Amino acid sequence: MKLPPGVSASDFAAALEKFAAVVGKEWVFSSQDDVDLYRDSYSPLWHEEDERVPSAAVAPDGVEQIQAIVKIANTYKIPLWTISTGKNLAYGGSSPALSGSVILDLKRMNRILEVNDKNHYALVEPGVSYFDLYHYIQDHKLNVWIDPPDPGWGSPMGNSLERGGGRTPMRDHFASVCGMEIVLANGEVIRTGMGALPESKTWQQYKYGFGPYVDGMFSQSNFGIVTKIGIWLMPSPEAYRDGVVSVPKHDDLIPFVDTLSFLIDSSVVRGTMLLDSPLLSYRASQGGSVLDMPGGPTVAETEKLGQEKGLPYWSMELHFWGPPNVIDAQWEYAKEKFSAIPGATFKDGRYYHFPMEVKDTDAVPWVALGIPSLSVFGLIAGGNGHMDFSPIIPMQAEAVFEVLSAFGKAYADLGIEPKNQFFSLPWCFFPHSFVLLFGFPIAHDVEKNRESRRAFQRLVEVAAEHGWGEYRTHVAFMDAVSNVYSFNNHALRRLHERVKDAIDPNGILSPGKSGIWPKRLRQQRA
Amino acid sequence: MKLPPGVSASDFAAALEKFAAVVGKEWVFSSQDDVDLYRDSYSPLWHEEDERVPSAAVAPDGVEQIQAIVKIANTYKIPLWTISTGKNLAYGGSSPALSGSVILDLKRMNRILEVNDKNHYALVEPGVSYFDLYHYIQDHKLNVWIDPPDPGWGSPMGNSLERGGGRTPMRDHFASVCGMEIVLANGEVIRTGMGALPESKTWQQYKYGFGPYVDGMFSQSNFGIVTKIGIWLMPSPEAYRDGVVSVPKHDDLIPFVDTLSFLIDSSVVRGTMLLDSPLLSYRASQGGSVLDMPGGPTVAETEKLGQEKGLPYWSMELHFWGPPNVIDAQWEYAKEKFSAIPGATFKDGRYYHFPMEVKDTDAVPWVALGIPSLSVFGLIAGGNGHMDFSPIIPMQAEAVFEVLSAFGKAYADLGIEPKNQFFSLPWCFFPHSFVLLFGFPIAHDVEKNRESRRAFQRLVEVAAEHGWGEYRTHVAFMDAVSNVYSFNNHALRRLHERVKDAIDPNGILSPGKSGIWPKRLRQQRA
């Protein structure tokens, strides 16, 4: 067992005993078998000295128990790494940034406190999963949709606090957060937004409250333990339809992205889209790469291949939710605008009316219909999981071209062959920008993982050289990513750490999260 | 002249001299005539001892000058009250919460640093007004709209930081903020979001950055001096149309608000709406009240009056922006949904296609068309201005009914006659909630203002008893409003103040803003 840094075995044992007095013996986990369950099943440090492993876990069942636990943790200087459902896979799962942390596992706090289908929101505890919330809504025949991320077993709270994304118009999960309850490091409970008003009637209806609006401080953060969260939902729409737009040539991406940006920001096109390239995918399938590898085919050669094979250079599936007449008009308008690109083609796709019975075996776009699913795991070919590299880039064609050549060159420099590349074209998970998702493979092989980590570290640096930064990262790379957000000698991180030291002077809450270290553990920074 | 508390006349003089050395003598204002210009022209404390008056003003022209000023202010413990254009009328104008503060007037920093009409954002300094930004966009023929608040002379930065609202689909101004540059109390400059990455390419395109997202901390706040702000804009739409929905009976408001909430949260209806009651307005014009005054006419009597006069109980103008076929389908769908209410009637309104020439004399809904205007001042009948009481209430008919009776009773208790009432029905400035705007009249009459303040204070308390809190308030009432946000013995305010003390230990930045007092001035709290 790895003890927390600076904590003696006897103090650690005393703390666990006190935790047990609070939550009951059965909810403190310290045997190796139990603790192993909290290791990251996708760890890029699998079985290495530096793997981020917890020392124990404690699972409280309420705010008062959490308050008691943080008091004990302050006494013994025990770092607590908070998880909700612990499914943050590809970014660390349930494992801590600092080895020896005790996992504060909030899975038992899984109450759905309210779902309102007149004002369209839910108030939930940390341990509620997207599946739980979906089934609750179905069972109560409520007129709202949730917005699950691709794997639906995680929690709305955890995903929103990590600022994850879904597929429906409510895709930007942190943007839908309205009101939190938080236990601070000193054990005090705050409620944010209108929740700061006792007996408030609008806690889940108005975000900002009065004075500084602090919710964002508690996202990707180690400033507090969020115990309740309000989340805005979408009223069940009458219909969904989708359709594909394709354009033939490389430079068509310039007007294509301009048109896309116009349509998104005009709210004509909503939800999450993925830029696709049937042509580059074909090139990759023939032993080439989606990226522009040095010495690889030129744009002209690739366009010629496209003509021969009848493959468009770029395409995208657009999705529409709402009243049939409205979404039909939106799709028609989108086609009209994209038609300004010579050679643009369009293909009508699926069309569903709701309510609709969906069977487990139906080939529907589950997540875009607000239905949580685990089918994404079927897409990941073999291996032992992946960790995600996910930089934000401008929503501009020129940025996409720059990405293809910059990462092509970086992969070549790193000696990564086309068949081992793990690049996706940009997603539109968030307004106004693109995000890339590179799924780095994880192996049960120390040498291979070392290579992966070296590549990951290099891509973080290459991205930063181009002015691109990650929106989220694996616990093992939080320092590395934080290190490139260095404007004015890390002025923002120093502000974060000044706040951290003021409100968590013993540094007990999730040390190392997002590269923020409390004073007493700051030398742990990589 | 009122000196800052605890600052000697000689220290004050020395500080002003040092300020002058930084910004030039002509940009330090300390004569009574000059300083009077920073008094609140709508002060509810006009010519009383407790009027919030500054001691002097200093107007820097750049970040480096601000850095030098805060260093001097730290040395001499001079409170600096930051304003951008200083047009926060009804909420204090350019006057401070703490008398004797030096106004840090950022009007000279009025550069429009970027307007991007491909990704639809602007990057501006504090002194840029909505008029400036509008004219810049017109002059450069850019394909974007701004979203001005009703009076357009204020600044996009100031209004967004105060979390104000406009009329177009971009109405929620803080929600459109993307990236800030901030000078902290110690003189350090931070950039938030992606701005923390040097040479970032997405500072105005992705809000959250990496780690805790702090932008909200700097809204309605005294934690820093914002020197640059990114604001998302709307692409110029092809068309605008509006139309009015009316329903005849009191209880029709229940399905009316449910339908409205469904349409807003489905993005079918966008922008800002005002609930109207032609019937209650008529009742008020006949010597009655919009509110339900104790002993006043019953619902049945009022409905009978409506039948006689042919006046609907409730109505609302809905607005649509976008491609003609889309907004036509949206209006048709809205009519279809509201038609479920027996007796609902509909009236088509204005219809504009863009680009459109608008002359100063045209009777168009300026603000809803993204055109800044001062015409709202024509609507305020006489007097010496007003201060606004603006509680958030649930977007539910039952809450509107409760408001009408609770404030009717409060007005009766306060002895405020119907003709002196200053109540509006709810606005939809923000998603998921209503906001009320009561314009309390200000007089150049100490006794009348005292009465207004007594009423204001009482309404704050009545609202809080019902679970409603203000979204923003006048500098003279910041403590009073902050006092009702008291959950768990003011736990949120104590968190604010712990952060304040950590990052501004000398308490130099806007003491008293939003009820947040630095340690050394905490006894100033009302």
Side-chain angles (χ1 to χ4, degrees), chain B residues 54-70:
Chain B
S55 54
V58 53
D61 188 28
V63 168
E64 296 74 14
Q65 292 189 1
I66 295 176
Q67 293 178 288
I69 288 167
V70 299

Side-chain angles (χ1 to χ4, degrees), chain A residues 118-120 163 188-189 196 201 208 211 213 216 220 238 261 265 333 396 432 467 485-488 494, chain B residues 118-120 163 172 188-189 196 201 208 211 213 216 220 238 261 265 333 396 432 467 485-488 494:
Chain A
K118 302 279 187 196
N119 291 106
H120 315 114
R163 302 196 297 249
E188 278 210 310
V189 177
K201 299 284 170 53
Y208 306 134
Y213 162 58
Q220 291 192 1
E238 292 203 0
S261 171
D265 293 346
Y333 184 72
Q396 287 154 10
H432 295 262
Y485 281 81
S486 62
F487 176 80
N488 191 19
R494 284 183 288 114
Chain B
K118 302 279 187 196
N119 291 107
H120 315 114
R163 303 197 297 249
D172 178 352
E188 279 210 309
V189 177
K201 299 285 171 51
Y208 306 134
Y213 161 58
Q220 293 194 0
E238 292 203 1
S261 171
D265 293 345
Y333 184 71
Q396 287 155 9
H432 295 263
Y485 281 81
S486 63
F487 176 80
N488 191 19
R494 285 183 287 114

Side-chain angles (χ1 to χ4, degrees), chain B residues 203-469:
Chain B
W203 191 17
Q204 272 60 62
Q205 294 183 37
Y206 179 71
K207 289 179 179 186
Y208 306 134
F210 180 73
Y213 161 58
V214 300
D215 288 27
M217 280 176 66
F218 296 94
S219 66
Q220 293 194 0
S221 158
N222 54 13
F223 294 160
I225 299 162
V226 183
T227 50
K228 294 185 179 69
I229 199 166
I231 291 175
W232 287 344
L233 305 172
M234 181 168 80
S236 310
E238 292 203 1
Y240 164 91
R241 70 175 300 172
D242 56 36
V244 176
V245 184
S246 302
V247 292
K249 288 167 186 278
H250 178 268
D251 284 356
D252 291 340
L253 192 63
I254 299 168
F256 185 95
V257 173
D258 286 348
T259 305
L260 178 71
S261 171
F262 168 79
L263 292 170
I264 292 173
D265 293 345
S266 302
S267 295
V268 170
V269 163
R270 300 190 298 149
T272 289
M273 292 130 288
L274 170 63
L275 179 64
D276 194 10
S277 173
L279 176 53
L280 295 180
S281 297
Y282 176 79
R283 193 174 82 179
S285 75
Q286 302 300 301
S289 171
V290 168
L291 296 166
D292 290 334
M293 304 296 285
T298 64
V299 164
E301 286 161 359
T302 304
E303 281 182 344
K304 193 157 164 284
L305 180 70
Q307 277 176 330
E308 286 166 20
K309 299 289 169 189
L311 291 171
Y313 217 115
W314 309 107
S315 74
M316 182 173 276
E317 189 176 87
L318 304 179
H319 319 87
F320 303 88
W321 295 259
N325 289 341
V326 172
I327 64 178
D328 293 351
Q330 288 171 330
W331 173 227
E332 284 308 312
Y333 184 71
K335 287 197 280 192
E336 181 192 323
K337 297 309 270 188
F338 282 114
S339 292
I341 304 171
T345 59
F346 305 96
K347 210 180 123 205
D348 282 4
R350 294 162 287 206
Y351 207 128
Y352 305 122
H353 294 266
F354 306 105
M356 173 175 89
E357 282 290 320
V358 180
K359 288 196 298 290
D360 283 357
T361 48
D362 288 347
V364 297
W366 297 85
V367 184
L369 304 186
I371 308 172
S373 159
L374 294 177
S375 61
V376 67
F377 289 105
L379 300 176
I380 297 165
N384 301 100
H386 59 102
M387 81 179 151
D388 285 0
F389 173 67
S390 36
I392 300 282
I393 66 162
M395 190 177 279
Q396 287 155 9
E398 294 78 0
V400 178
F401 300 153
E402 192 179 336
V403 155
L404 293 175
S405 77
F407 289 116
K409 182 173 180 313
Y411 276 16
D413 291 347
L414 289 159
I416 299 173
E417 290 169 41
K419 74 177 161 58
N420 289 329
Q421 289 174 3
F422 20 83
F423 174 80
S424 87
L425 286 164
W427 290 87
C428 311
F429 269 115
F430 304 104
H432 295 263
S433 60
F434 282 143
V435 59
L436 305 173
L437 294 178
F438 296 46
F440 272 66
I442 300 300
H444 283 183
D445 178 323
V446 168
E447 202 41 55
K448 279 190 183 156
N449 286 341
R450 198 162 290 161
E451 281 304 297
S452 264
R453 298 202 304 272
R454 194 171 65 94
F456 194 101
Q457 174 69 39
R458 182 67 198 129
L459 292 200
V460 170
E461 292 158 8
V462 168
E465 287 159 15
H466 289 264
W468 310 320

